[in-house]
Amino acid sequence: MKNQEENSVGQYNPAAWLNKLLNELQESFIFDKGELDTQQMSGPFLARCESAAGTALAVTKLRRERQRIGFVPLSFTEYIEGLARVAKVSVSRISDWLGIVSFSELNSSSSPSVARLAKEIGMTLRELLVHVRIGFAAEFDSSPMALLVARRRRHGDSRSELDHCEDVLLDIESSYAPERKMKLDEIKSNLQSLYGEFNR
Amino acid sequence: MIQSVARSNFDTGDLATRMLSLEDDAFKKFAQLFGPRFRAYFQRGGLSPADAEDLAVSCVTDIALKIEKYEQKEGASFSAWVFSISRNYLADWWRKNRQMEPLPTDLSVNDVKADEMTQSPSVIAVREAISTMTEDEQEIIRLRHFGLEHSYREIGNQFGITSDAARVRHFRALQKLQRVLEKDFRIGASLSTRSVD
């Protein structure tokens, strides 16, 4: 009787949602069972993986230092280099990972890397733009930003360093020639859209 | 083996905690444990060995960089969290390279944005539901759905029953699993956010 009942049942097709969940579970199962493959992995590949993890560690250290230090009126390059020294991290490891030669030269190929690094270390878009504008102003022959900001601050002033820095930059930028101003606007607009693209 | 279906995550111990403490060795261990798994998983997902290797290396950096977003939750392991992110990387790779190959249908199921990457509660629910079933039921589901898909004849041979009887047992096991999962709130939530045929 039981056999008759069993034989009368056709192949059961699970509901689509159950099938999808079983597929997902199967994928995670395959992932976990990848352990055996570890033995077969090449030395150079493992070395690449370890170097990649080392880069992640370096960037995470920069992020932690940035959280402690916060905004300082420096150009982006000076800020990153200083942060790296404080965090005891190699700047070249970061630039190699991002595939750029210098943080100071902002062009179509380096801007995405600068935006990504800023996002990865928890720098806000506002801060990033100020750092970049400071670097841009320095090229133009500007006095040291830290001094200009200090000069502007008044006793009992509750505004932030970043606020003062933006005021100083507005003063400096008001004397830019139209071409130079247009170039800066282009850089800012490009960074704004790139920064928005990266999701941490 | 049966247990490995219900609870298949390998032990990563306190790796996440050590990575949060910025221990050099922990990041190295992460690379050694997960790099090869990423590569194997991406190759199984249809990538060439070279592409799988490049994506695996990127994943090591990118996922290690997200370590501060990892939250330890009961029943959800670190490796499951890592896996769910790597799964999205594979899906993204296919999306970006759509002109080269069609997007595999099973990869378009879970379209999760990068900042929404968490462990899938529905997969955890399936794992838990399977673990409540009898050993025979778990074994049939494992043989039929995980690793190599065994035929009913092979399953029947293993259990000393006919292939038809194996088919019926599989039928009943899946029905039971479906009934259990239908009552699970995690599945309901998951179904409401998915497009299910």
Side-chain angles (χ1 to χ4, degrees):
Chain A
M1 182 65 187
K2 192 180 174 189
N3 276 345
Q4 276 178 353
E5 182 200 330
E6 287 189 341
N7 286 335
S8 68
V9 182
Q11 180 163 331
Y12 172 63
N13 292 315
W17 61 266
L18 180 57
N19 225 3
K20 285 176 180 174
L21 288 177
L22 286 168
N23 282 341
E24 279 185 43
L25 185 56
Q26 183 185 21
E27 283 179 13
S28 75
F29 180 73
I30 289 168
F31 182 75
D32 292 340
K33 296 298 285 179
E35 197 150 21
L36 285 176
D37 296 338
T38 310
Q39 309 300 324
Q40 299 157 13
M41 291 298 170
S42 65
F45 171 66
L46 279 180
R48 280 185 75 192
C49 288
E50 286 174 17
S51 171
T55 301
L57 175 62
V59 177
T60 309
K61 284 180 176 173
L62 284 189
R63 189 190 300 153
R64 293 270 175 95
E65 284 303 334
R66 204 215 71 84
Q67 282 167 357
R68 278 193 202 114
I69 294 168
F71 175 77
V72 177
L74 295 171
S75 70
F76 186 77
T77 312
E78 289 170 325
Y79 187 78
I80 294 297
E81 286 175 355
L83 211 55
R85 274 197 293 272
V86 172
K88 296 183 174 60
V89 160
S90 154
V91 180
S92 60
R93 182 187 266 278
I94 307 289
S95 53
D96 287 352
W97 167 59
L98 293 168
I100 55 172
V101 181
S102 160
F103 293 109
S104 58
E105 215 173 291
L106 280 175
N107 51 42
S108 55
S109 64
S110 65
S111 291
S113 304
V114 166
R116 176 167 189 191
L117 179 60
K119 195 116 184 187
E120 289 290 0
I121 64 171
M123 183 183 282
T124 65
L125 176 62
R126 186 181 169 205
E127 288 170 340
L128 168 64
L129 293 178
V130 167
H131 286 303
V132 168
R133 287 164 69 193
I134 292 172
F136 199 79
E139 275 176 31
F140 185 63
D141 183 30
S142 156
S143 305
M145 188 55 60
L147 298 186
L148 293 175
V149 170
R151 190 166 166 251
R152 196 177 191 94
R153 197 179 293 122
R154 289 192 174 82
H155 183 67
D157 197 338
S158 61
R159 297 179 74 221
S160 71
E161 188 96 337
L162 192 57
D163 291 331
H164 286 297
C165 206
E166 281 178 326
D167 289 347
V168 171
L169 284 166
L170 280 176
D171 283 351
I172 294 170
E173 288 161 5
S174 65
S175 64
Y176 286 174
E179 272 178 24
R180 186 166 179 81
K181 187 154 177 40
M182 201 187 292
K183 191 181 171 195
L184 177 62
D185 287 343
E186 213 172 276
I187 290 173
K188 279 161 55 182
S189 143
N190 192 24
L191 282 174
Q192 267 169 337
S193 66
L194 288 166
Y195 186 91
E197 282 173 21
F198 292 113
N199 280 316
R200 262 211 74 234
Chain B
M1 199 59 164
I2 293 165
Q3 272 192 339
S4 66
V5 176
R7 188 193 289 250
S8 66
N9 296 122
F10 56 95
D11 184 26
T12 51
D14 59 353
L15 186 61
T17 312
R18 289 173 48 226
M19 286 174 78
L20 280 167
S21 303
L22 304 185
E23 287 182 28
D24 284 21
D25 284 352
F27 277 77
K28 197 172 175 182
K29 181 82 179 167
F30 176 84
Q32 291 165 348
L33 266 179
F34 289 102
R37 282 183 167 78
F38 292 147
R39 184 162 102 160
Y41 173 61
F42 295 149
Q43 272 191 255
R44 287 191 188 100
L47 269 63
S48 69
D51 285 337
E53 183 167 323
D54 286 346
L55 189 60
V57 172
S58 297
C59 260
V60 168
T61 307
D62 292 356
I63 299 177
L65 272 173
K66 295 180 197 301
I67 189 66
E68 286 167 331
K69 293 195 166 187
Y70 172 66
E71 288 174 34
Q72 206 153 10
K73 288 179 190 163
E74 200 173 331
S77 69
F78 180 54
S79 69
W81 179 76
V82 172
F83 168 70
S84 69
I85 301 176
S86 66
R87 189 171 191 277
N88 291 318
Y89 271 81
L90 180 58
D92 281 347
W93 192 94
W94 280 111
R95 244 176 247 124
K96 284 175 191 159
N97 296 277
R98 200 172 284 175
Q99 70 280 14
M100 292 167 59
E101 298 280 345
L103 182 69
T105 51
D106 59 332
L107 292 177
S108 60
V109 173
N110 197 10
D111 190 5
V112 184
K113 287 180 188 164
D115 57 354
E116 291 171 353
M117 288 181 292
T118 55
Q119 297 164 79
S120 165
S122 46
V123 170
I124 296 166
V126 179
R127 275 204 175 121
E128 286 175 5
I130 292 175
S131 72
T132 65
M133 299 171 83
T134 67
E135 286 202 358
D136 281 359
E137 288 165 342
Q138 288 188 36
E139 184 65 358
I140 283 181
I141 289 175
R142 183 188 71 78
L143 290 169
R144 195 70 188 154
H145 297 275
F146 303 104
L148 292 172
E149 188 182 320
H150 290 73
S151 68
Y152 288 122
R153 176 180 296 205
E154 288 167 327
I155 297 171
N157 285 343
Q158 185 161 327
F159 282 88
I161 55 177
T162 65
S163 58
D164 282 340
R167 191 170 60 224
V168 173
R169 286 199 193 180
H170 175 240
F171 171 90
R172 287 183 178 145
L174 285 184
Q175 269 194 325
K176 185 174 172 181
L177 180 62
Q178 186 166 332
R179 276 197 301 272
V180 173
L181 289 171
E182 277 167 350
K183 290 176 195 156
D184 193 306
F185 72 95
R186 289 168 293 187
I187 299 299
S190 163
L191 289 176
S192 65
T193 58
R194 286 163 191 259
S195 59
V196 176
D197 324 306

